[in-house]
Amino acid sequence: MIIVTRPDATDEQIDRIRERVEAVGVRTHLSRGEHHTVIGCVGDEEPLAELPFLSMPGVETVHRVMKPYKLAAREFAAEPTRIRLGDSLIGGQEFTVIAGPCSIEGWEMLSSTAAVVQEAGGAALRGGAFKPRTSPYSFRGLGMEGLELLARIREEAGIPVVTEVMDTRHVEAVAEHADVLQIGARNMQNFSLLSEVGRIHRPVLLKRGMSSTIKDLLLAAEYIMQQGNMEVILCERGIRTFETATRNTFDLSAIPVLKRETHLPVFADPTHAGGIRELVAPLGYAAVAAGADGLIVETHPDPAAALSDGDQALTFGDFRKFMAGLVPFAEAAGRVGPQSKKAGASSHSSAA
Ligand code: PEP
Ligand code: MN
């Protein structure tokens, strides 16, 4: 159930309403908007059914939320969720791009990528230290050493960093070294991991599982939010279908559906969706037009020599072109596109 308060409702009235809900054992979640405050009720709603909320001072309307997800549901928040990442505000007016190599392979390649990403107007550098690989014999990342390199580039270049966490035992260490924790497609329904990242104070980039429905994705976000972490970014990255011409099938329609269903920011990953370098720009631009809040994209100094996902990584030249080409699409979608910066003149600072 959600209770929407009147524009002139006082803090005291809001407290009184919350107390009434909590007195019957139901948790409340407050979302303050410019005009209204939404009091979301989470738990068994049965005891609330008989309570006369409409006659309580400050209440404007009461609705039942019939969706299986509550905290992630659009109705639960008075405004779209915005997430601070360095100088950028994800989910706001600005269209955000997070980019970097699939895997962190060493200092040189990471620092040269960071410079290019920053200069081209990227909001954050993404690189994998712990890599989920289909074959256990493939390169599985530098692990803790990769995390140290990420923390060093964050410090030296002043760019926020994003990396994947695969194991509950690493959540604390990854949260210490990175500004955003990525949960990969293969772990979207690793419920222990979702709960663990729900207990930390770091935004989570949650990628859609390759065989998961949009509802599954929203319920996975709900696991994180239920533990108190409301900063979840959803990411469409393609799903498995019978099609073999592309690595996955990019589910473009997931973007407007998610924007309708949830207040959380929605990203797309055109790199893993297509799995081919040439598809990154068309799929990425389509995602902007469909209403995405941002993209994650892979770029590498020498894709032919990359230790993972080289076929889909943009060269630095392609990445610069891709970023410049994004601007008119972002503007047509009512957004501000990524603004390229001169090397060394960036004002990015790492997130707190
Ligand atoms: C990645 O982002 O490098 C990755 C492995 O993606 P996904 O989890 O979507 O396959
Ligand atoms: Mn990859």
Side-chain angles (χ1 to χ4, degrees):
M1 179 183 280
I2 58 164
I3 302 166
V4 182
T5 63
R6 292 181 191 281
D8 59 355
T10 64
D11 286 349
E12 245 184 7
Q13 289 171 339
I14 292 171
D15 287 347
R16 204 81 19 91
I17 303 163
R18 290 185 84 175
E19 282 161 16
R20 195 79 193 265
V21 173
E22 287 169 5
V24 296
V26 176
R27 278 170 55 198
T28 61
H29 173 259
L30 210 63
S31 170
R32 288 187 189 277
E34 209 179 314
H35 303 295
H36 298 278
T37 293
V38 174
I39 303 169
C41 309
V42 193
D44 175 14
E45 294 184 6
E46 213 43 49
L48 298 178
E50 300 302 316
L51 299 180
F53 288 112
L54 279 175
S55 59
M56 288 190 76
V59 173
E60 186 161 283
T61 53
V62 177
H63 313 275
R64 286 197 79 141
V65 179
M66 305 309 282
K67 311 266 169 63
Y69 35 88
K70 307 284 175 200
L71 297 167
R74 177 143 207 110
E75 301 87 323
F76 252 68
E79 311 264 342
T81 292
R82 296 192 173 91
I83 299 173
R84 165 71 45 204
L85 181 59
D87 290 343
S88 304
L89 196 59
I90 292 177
Q93 182 75 0
E94 181 195 343
F95 189 83
T96 315
V97 178
I98 298 173
C102 181
S103 303
I104 299 163
E105 298 166 8
W107 175 250
E108 288 306 319
M109 60 82 73
L110 191 66
S111 57
S112 62
T113 311
V116 171
V117 169
Q118 229 170 1
E119 193 191 318
L125 175 71
R126 196 209 72 129
F130 297 99
K131 294 304 303 177
R133 302 306 301 278
T134 301
S135 162
Y137 303 113
S138 304
F139 176 63
R140 288 157 71 181
L142 295 179
M144 288 308 296
E145 191 192 334
L147 285 188
E148 299 294 341
L149 294 175
L150 262 190
R152 185 175 154 202
I153 195 70
R154 167 166 76 169
E155 190 63 29
E156 289 189 12
I159 185 168
V161 294
V162 181
T163 199
E164 179 164 350
V165 60
M166 290 170 48
D167 191 318
T168 51
R169 292 169 299 182
H170 297 150
V171 169
E172 215 174 298
V174 174
E176 260 173 43
H177 292 79
D179 300 289
V180 175
L181 276 66
Q182 175 177 323
I183 302 276
R186 290 155 192 80
N187 273 312
M188 191 206 82
Q189 283 186 318
N190 179 337
F191 297 116
S192 322
L193 187 59
L194 296 175
S195 295
E196 203 60 35
V197 298
R199 288 191 271 271
I200 56 156
H201 300 286
R202 278 277 186 261
V204 176
L205 176 72
L206 177 64
K207 298 186 81 175
R208 180 178 180 183
M210 55 187 95
S211 308
S212 300
T213 63
I214 294 171
K215 185 165 124 190
D216 294 338
L217 173 60
L218 287 162
L219 284 167
E222 190 81 9
Y223 264 88
I224 299 171
M225 300 171 87
Q226 208 200 20
Q227 296 302 320
N229 188 351
M230 298 293 154
E231 296 201 316
V232 181
I233 304 158
L234 303 172
C235 183
E236 162 57 37
R237 48 77 73 201
I239 50 175
R240 278 226 168 133
T241 67
F242 51 80
E243 182 55 70
T244 54
T246 49
R247 182 172 178 182
N248 292 287
T249 296
F250 187 37
D251 183 7
L252 190 61
S253 54
I255 297 167
V257 171
L258 285 168
K259 291 300 289 180
R260 185 192 67 202
E261 290 296 305
T262 181
H263 53 86
L264 297 172
V266 177
F267 265 48
D269 173 353
T271 306
H272 291 85
I276 306 166
R277 184 170 310 121
E278 290 71 36
L279 293 183
V280 174
L283 299 186
Y285 297 163
V288 186
D293 295 294
L295 298 175
I296 63 171
V297 170
E298 288 183 351
T299 179
H300 190 283
D302 182 8
L307 296 181
S308 61
D309 284 351
D311 291 344
Q312 59 187 29
L314 298 178
T315 62
F316 288 168
D318 286 343
F319 179 68
R320 288 191 189 95
K321 266 192 236 152
F322 168 75
M323 292 292 275
L326 199 55
V327 177
F329 285 96
E331 286 171 359
R335 299 298 184 99
V336 177
Q339 305 300 312
S340 89
K341 298 171 187 76
K342 285 216 177 79
S346 164
S347 63
H348 271 289
S349 59
S350 63

